[in-house]
Amino acid sequence: MISRRLLTSTQTLCMRVGNTPSKATASQSFSTRATSVGVGQSFWNENGNKFSCALAVTALASTATALTLCEKFQRDPMTKHAVQIEEPSSSVHAISPKVLSPPVEKLTEEEARLERAAMKAKKHAGGLKLFSGNGNMALSLEIAKILGINLGKATVGRFADGEVNCMIHENVRGKDVYIIQPTCPPVNDNIMELLLMISSLNRASARRITVVIPYYGYARQDRKMQARVPISAADVARLLESMGIDRVIAVDLHCGQIQGFFGPRVPVDNLDGGIVGIDHFGGKDLHNPVIVSPDAGGVYRAKKFKEGLAHKYDMEDIGLAMIIKQRARAGTVDQMDLVGDVNDCDCIIVDDMIDTAGTLCKAADVLKAKGARRVFAFASHGLLSGPGNDRIANSAMEEVVILNTIPSSPQREANETLVELSVAPLLAQTIFNVHAKKSISALFK
């Protein structure tokens, strides 16, 4: 509309250049103006788009110039002082704070400490956030220390009536969040904490949520052994998946098929805790070592432990044995038979968990009765429910090695037979590799 009015006015003015028309030529002037208006209308119909484009380009150029002037003097909210960038052209270039020259003024010791803390916080605020429930706070703090970051600020407590109170006190919008929470006893409380933390982070617009479960509860109920019983391991997996997780990192799942209980959009990394035990037993002076599986289902785990020990410490004469147990009911073993030779050998019983330690202590007695020289044991998860701690203290085993996937207790620390190793370096390296999009399988080669 503006271009059309300008065009008509310009053509009218052009016609008025020269002498003023007389009364005799009034009708002729009127017809000429009418003709000019008609010509202007046709001219606009042919070239109107060109004028509109020209005006649009002019308006955009003016807007871009104004925005450029504003951006050149904008303060960076993540730095201490404003940085003005002087460029000969109107373009704006970003400068990393790392390449800026040090400040001229000399900082005091306290100011320097605060400056280093601020730079460290800025370094790790770019995407990785680490949170923990109440399942194993000591392990979470150790992982955070290895990664060089702080645990995220969150409240995970209880209301007066016992309900879980969960609140996140940090901005997680667009961040990659890792939640460390084993579902160990009290199992149901820890699972509910984990579910509500996932819900809170999803509602806070976290970009990706990875749950790190050092111990996966309900893992032993992985199939129907009799009628009218649930498959609890699959039900817990569906609960976690329905809450909107993106990845699961676990340590020594009771059986490998639990990975298939999660859908294809939720990959599961089942870490082998045995590599931590390999380093421990590799430094011992073992005589004719034999790796023993306490049941048929753990033969693959014992074989991997044997291969890792042989590959890393050049032990070629490592044997493999298996104990076949017949259970009368859950937690009670009726009979045990040994498959293999353990006479005058140092035996290492390898399992994924120790619950009441009844099976483990009976297996040690069977090995001793068959002529074993020394008996050791390794398990990733030391539940030690009920009399488990006392049974291990009074057993025939030289040493029982577990990982800190489950929080320790004063009774465990007082048990001289029990040795606890840390799985934090393995989990920290796995979290770093996942976040940096590096291989995880390389950790176990």
Side-chain angles (χ1 to χ4, degrees):
M1 181 63 69
I2 295 174
S3 301
R4 182 173 180 178
R5 289 178 179 175
L6 288 173
L7 179 60
T8 306
S9 301
T10 303
Q11 291 177 348
T12 304
L13 288 173
C14 290
M15 291 181 59
R16 290 184 178 180
V17 175
N19 298 327
T20 305
S22 62
K23 295 181 179 180
T25 60
S27 60
Q28 181 179 0
S29 177
F30 178 78
S31 61
T32 304
R33 289 180 182 178
T35 306
S36 300
V37 172
V39 173
Q41 181 68 31
S42 61
F43 183 79
W44 167 256
N45 292 336
E46 295 177 0
N47 301 309
N49 293 333
K50 297 180 181 180
F51 282 99
S52 299
C53 293
L55 286 173
V57 170
T58 305
L60 288 175
S62 303
T63 305
T65 304
L67 289 175
T68 301
L69 292 174
C70 294
E71 290 177 356
K72 287 185 68 175
F73 298 98
Q74 186 178 5
R75 290 177 180 265
D76 185 356
M78 297 296 291
T79 56
K80 184 176 180 180
H81 304 286
V83 179
Q84 294 183 1
I85 306 171
E86 297 182 0
E87 295 287 341
S89 63
S90 60
S91 59
V92 179
H93 301 278
I95 295 182
S96 174
K98 294 182 180 180
V99 300
L100 296 177
S101 59
V104 178
E105 66 275 8
K106 186 177 181 180
L107 300 178
T108 64
E109 184 178 352
E110 182 66 16
E111 289 176 343
R113 185 185 65 81
L114 292 175
E115 186 74 16
R116 290 193 299 269
M119 292 300 295
K120 182 179 178 181
K122 180 178 178 182
K123 174 183 176 183
H124 295 287
L128 175 60
K129 291 287 186 179
L130 199 65
F131 290 90
S132 174
N134 296 317
N136 196 341
M137 186 61 69
L139 176 61
S140 303
L141 290 172
E142 190 175 354
I143 293 173
K145 183 179 180 180
I146 294 173
L147 290 173
I149 61 177
N150 296 324
L151 279 179
K153 297 178 182 178
T155 297
V156 184
R158 297 291 183 276
F159 289 109
D161 58 353
E163 295 177 355
V164 176
N165 175 24
C166 180
M167 183 181 298
I168 308 298
H169 302 295
E170 288 190 12
N171 178 28
V172 296
R173 185 179 300 274
K175 306 293 184 181
D176 290 344
V177 181
Y178 296 80
I179 307 174
I180 304 172
Q181 175 77 338
T183 53
C184 53
V187 181
N188 297 331
D189 291 346
N190 288 331
I191 288 179
M192 184 55 67
E193 285 184 5
L194 179 58
L195 294 176
L196 293 184
M197 289 185 72
I198 295 170
S199 175
S200 301
L201 292 168
N202 268 322
R203 296 176 191 274
S205 303
R207 175 175 174 266
R208 186 171 59 181
I209 298 177
T210 301
V211 291
V212 181
I213 310 178
Y215 171 73
Y216 187 94
Y218 289 103
R220 284 175 284 184
Q221 302 180 43
D222 56 351
R223 60 192 183 276
K224 289 185 66 174
M225 297 297 294
Q226 55 187 352
R228 296 176 296 279
V229 295
I231 304 178
S232 304
D235 297 333
V236 172
R238 294 186 64 183
L239 278 174
L240 292 172
E241 188 175 4
S242 65
M243 294 305 296
I245 61 174
D246 297 283
R247 194 180 196 94
V248 176
I249 299 175
V251 178
D252 266 338
L253 293 172
H254 184 64
C255 53
Q257 63 260 30
I258 294 178
Q259 301 174 71
F261 293 158
F262 293 88
R265 296 187 178 182
V266 182
V268 180
D269 297 313
N270 184 22
L271 306 183
D272 183 12
I275 65 172
V276 182
I278 287 173
D279 294 333
H280 177 78
F281 287 102
K284 291 183 176 294
D285 185 16
L286 299 176
H287 175 72
N288 295 333
V290 175
I291 310 301
V292 181
S293 173
D295 52 30
V299 173
Y300 177 71
R301 184 181 298 107
K303 184 180 178 182
K304 286 183 65 177
F305 193 92
K306 167 183 173 293
E307 292 173 351
L309 201 61
H311 175 73
K312 194 167 185 178
Y313 293 95
D314 295 330
M315 299 181 182
E316 301 296 338
D317 56 343
I318 302 179
L320 187 65
M322 178 183 66
I323 291 178
I324 301 176
K325 59 185 178 183
Q326 300 177 8
R327 290 186 180 272
R329 58 182 183 274
T332 304
V333 177
D334 188 24
Q335 183 180 350
M336 283 189 170
D337 298 318
L338 176 65
V339 177
D341 184 17
V342 297
N343 188 29
D344 193 30
C345 297
D346 288 341
C347 299
I348 304 175
I349 304 173
V350 178
D351 205 355
D352 64 318
M353 70 175 67
I354 302 173
D355 192 1
T356 59
T359 301
L360 183 65
C361 294
K362 278 194 175 183
D365 293 337
V366 170
L367 294 175
K368 277 289 189 178
K370 297 295 183 178
R373 184 169 173 263
R374 291 186 298 176
V375 178
F376 302 90
F378 171 78
S380 297
H381 314 295
L383 295 171
L384 304 184
S385 305
N389 191 54
D390 295 334
R391 287 176 176 175
I392 289 176
N394 301 322
S395 67
M397 291 178 286
E398 295 278 336
E399 189 178 70
V400 177
V401 181
I402 60 175
L403 303 181
N404 61 341
T405 57
I406 296 172
S408 184
S409 62
Q411 292 78 13
R412 296 186 185 187
E413 296 175 358
N415 191 344
E416 297 180 355
T417 309
L418 203 60
V419 176
E420 187 175 85
L421 304 179
S422 177
V423 76
L426 177 62
L427 288 173
Q429 187 64 50
T430 303
I431 291 173
F432 176 80
N433 284 16
V434 170
H435 188 67
K437 298 178 177 61
K438 295 184 178 181
S439 173
I440 296 179
S441 60
L443 301 176
F444 306 101
K445 292 182 180 179

